[in-house]
Amino acid sequence: MKVIICGAGQVGWQIARHLSGENNDVTVVDSNPELVRRATDTLDVQGIAGFASYPDVLDRAGAADADMVIAATHSDEVNMVTCQVAHSVFSVQRKIARLRAQNYLDPAYADLYRRNHLPIDVVISPEREVAEAALQRLAAPAAFDTESFLEGRAQLLGIMIDDDCPVINTPLRQLTDLFSTLRAVVVGIRREGTLFVPSPGDQIFPDDECYIFTDTEDMTRTLEIFGKTQSKQERIVIIGGGNVGLGVAQALEARTERVRVKVIEKDRVNAERAADALDRTIVLHGDGLDSGLLEEANISSADAVLAVTDDDKTNLLAAVRAKEMGCKMSISLVNDPTLVPLMGPLDIDAYINPRAVTVSSILRHIRHGRVRGVYSIGDAEAEVIEAQVLGTSPIAGQKVKDIDFPEGTLIGAVMQQGKIIRPTGETRIEEGNVIAIFAMSDDVPEVERLLQVSIDFF
């Protein structure tokens, strides 16, 4: 498939990395020649320096025979015009645009993106995706990473293993024997910075970061087995009242159970906007690093603090200060992936990487219709792919033990007739089953071959 990616920033580069690694014909367009050079030097892609919305630039990028345009520049307006030019001049079939401004996303204006108006097939809102990720982190406070799969019936949990974890130094196959009714599978372990798919004989050690698939109904029990307690979040302080913070506060207000939320916002205009948009939430105008203001927000009695300003260092320091003042849990928004290793030493419980969230959202929309979801792990180190098994797939009708999966691949869960099954070697994968597979990035093409899917729409 021929894909043009407009914007060679963090998100565009990661999408190009994924698609070029799967033998697609990828061209990257950016007005910054240095970013284009970085992409062409590090990836198997072509590069064009220029403004993506210019017809002649898209023409040089090969839009005349492109299957898809992904507009992910830093300008909403450039992304929108790029999709319009790709449609009107080059008849590109599929167009995806990243739009940040919430004004463009009001449901009242949804008709704007119809093919006879502004032809965008998929609109990605990073702020909304990040707000949803924040809500998921709050729903599983003992996990540093979490994502829902299989219609919400299965959860992927990222858990940091502590010294007092009851199952450290226990081989994974023994865990299966000890907890035979537990529908949970350890699918990935990051140890000393390296992520790998464990074998049945591998053990879990303190400071490991474990990725575990579990039936949603067994989530609390799974957390307890791995030494974590699930507490209810009733008092939450949000530092940052921009689009992300406001979105989270509005979602929390809409819940049936009562949650007490306070928002701290440094910019007066944003603070006033948040105060006008929220009914039960208290909005405080000031610096989230100000200990006096944190005391006014009763941070010592808060169940969680969510630091989601547009500055990574502010988020990290605010989360550290909140924990130091007695807050039980801290979640920080971190754009720079090189800062993630600091989470442990700084005692920050969970983080959200907007780039990974946005990349996962875009990948979810550019794969074949049988692939229902894709979630990017870490710095694009691995993917979780949720897909329906086709009758033409080599794995249909096969037992798991007889399927020639790559070494860096593990099935996390199987949904058969609406029920979640913990897969074993004897589990037979039938046509129509929906499976969730954890795969290291290098093994994703082979997984797609086994599923008989590709990045295609036709």
Side-chain angles (χ1 to χ4, degrees), residues 167 169-180 200-203:
V167 294
N169 304 323
T170 305
L172 295 182
R173 67 162 62 91
Q174 193 172 333
L175 285 181
T176 303
D177 298 334
L178 289 171
F179 308 102
S180 58
D202 281 323
Q203 301 177 29

Side-chain angles (χ1 to χ4, degrees), residues 147-154 213 364 367-375 383-389 413 415 433-438 447 451 453:
E147 180 70 10
S148 296
F149 291 91
L150 306 178
E151 300 175 2
R153 300 179 189 180
F213 253 105
R364 192 178 300 125
R367 296 187 185 275
H368 191 279
R370 295 293 183 179
V371 172
R372 298 185 174 189
V374 177
Y375 186 65
E383 285 185 21
V384 179
I385 301 172
E386 177 186 319
Q388 186 174 358
V389 178
M415 187 164 70
N433 287 174
V434 182
I435 61 176
I437 299 178
F438 184 100
V447 170
L451 292 170
V453 298

Side-chain angles (χ1 to χ4, degrees), residues 134 137-138 304-307 319 329-333 348-352:
R137 299 291 187 279
L138 289 169
V305 62
L306 181 64
M329 176 193 178
S330 60
I331 303 172
S332 178
L333 186 70
I348 297 174
D349 300 283
Y351 67 91
I352 304 164

Side-chain angles (χ1 to χ4, degrees), residues 228-241:
K228 303 292 183 179
T229 56
Q230 187 79 322
S231 57
K232 199 170 183 181
Q233 308 295 303
E234 296 179 336
R235 296 179 178 85
I236 298 171
V237 175
I238 300 173
I239 299 175

Side-chain angles (χ1 to χ4, degrees), residues 241-272:
N243 290 331
V244 173
L246 178 58
V248 173
Q250 288 176 321
L252 292 172
E253 278 195 347
R255 290 184 175 178
T256 53
E257 69 270 21
R258 190 64 179 261
V259 181
R260 298 178 184 177
V261 182
K262 294 179 181 177
V263 174
I264 299 174
E265 170 55 44
K266 190 174 184 179
D267 181 84
R268 177 171 291 278
V269 173
N270 283 342
E272 291 175 349

Side-chain angles (χ1 to χ4, degrees), residues 173-223:
R173 67 162 62 91
Q174 193 172 333
L175 285 181
T176 303
D177 298 334
L178 289 171
F179 308 102
S180 58
T181 61
L182 183 70
R183 290 165 293 182
V185 179
V186 178
V187 292
I189 297 175
R190 183 181 286 106
R191 182 173 296 154
E192 297 178 353
T194 301
L195 182 67
F196 64 93
V197 172
S199 63
D202 281 323
Q203 301 177 29
I204 296 173
F205 300 121
D207 298 327
D208 281 354
E209 295 179 7
C210 289
Y211 289 91
I212 304 167
F213 253 105
T214 178
D215 186 299
T216 301
E217 294 180 354
D218 289 350
M219 185 168 68
T220 300
R221 185 182 172 209
T222 299
L223 289 168

